[in-house]
Amino acid sequence: MDLRTVATVFLSVFLSELGDKTQLATLLFASQEGFNKVGVFIASASALVLTSFIAVLVGDQVSRFVPLHTVKIVAGIGFITIGLWVFISART
């Protein structure tokens, strides 16, 4: 296991998760009276681990059929589209 790769992935995911909808949803659940805070953490962390696992499996399969260059372009277009959608939604 290459520690540089692990650090890069960790930092990328950590920074992209800060303030996203998942974190805000977790914050809202944790702020509700009667919700067990440890339970909220375990459920939220488990969901993130499971979705990450699925992403790794799908990414491995996609890489067998689609060139990395194409995946990066599609991902970039997707992020730009989502960013524009959020920007336009915030203005209305």
Side-chain angles (χ1 to χ4, degrees), residues 53-68 71:
F53 178 70
I54 292 168
V56 169
L57 292 178
V58 171
D60 180 52
Q61 293 302 309
V62 167
S63 71
R64 295 172 194 244
F65 303 105
V66 181
L68 181 59
V71 173

Side-chain angles (χ1 to χ4, degrees), residues 4-79:
R4 175 173 254 170
T5 301
V6 171
T8 300
V9 172
F10 175 84
L11 190 59
S12 297
V13 172
F14 180 78
L15 291 176
S16 66
E17 289 296 323
L18 287 176
D20 77 339
K21 287 187 257 182
T22 304
Q23 188 180 35
L24 295 175
T26 303
L27 182 143
L28 290 173
F29 283 122
S31 67
Q32 290 188 23
E33 210 171 303
F35 274 56
N36 181 297
K37 307 317 178 214
V38 174
V40 170
F41 170 75
I42 290 170
S44 176
S46 298
L48 182 58
V49 168
L50 181 59
T51 57
S52 296
F53 178 70
I54 292 168
V56 169
L57 292 178
V58 171
D60 180 52
Q61 293 302 309
V62 167
S63 71
R64 295 172 194 244
F65 303 105
V66 181
L68 181 59
H69 179 72
T70 303
V71 173
K72 286 182 177 183
I73 289 173
V74 170
I77 291 170
F79 281 120

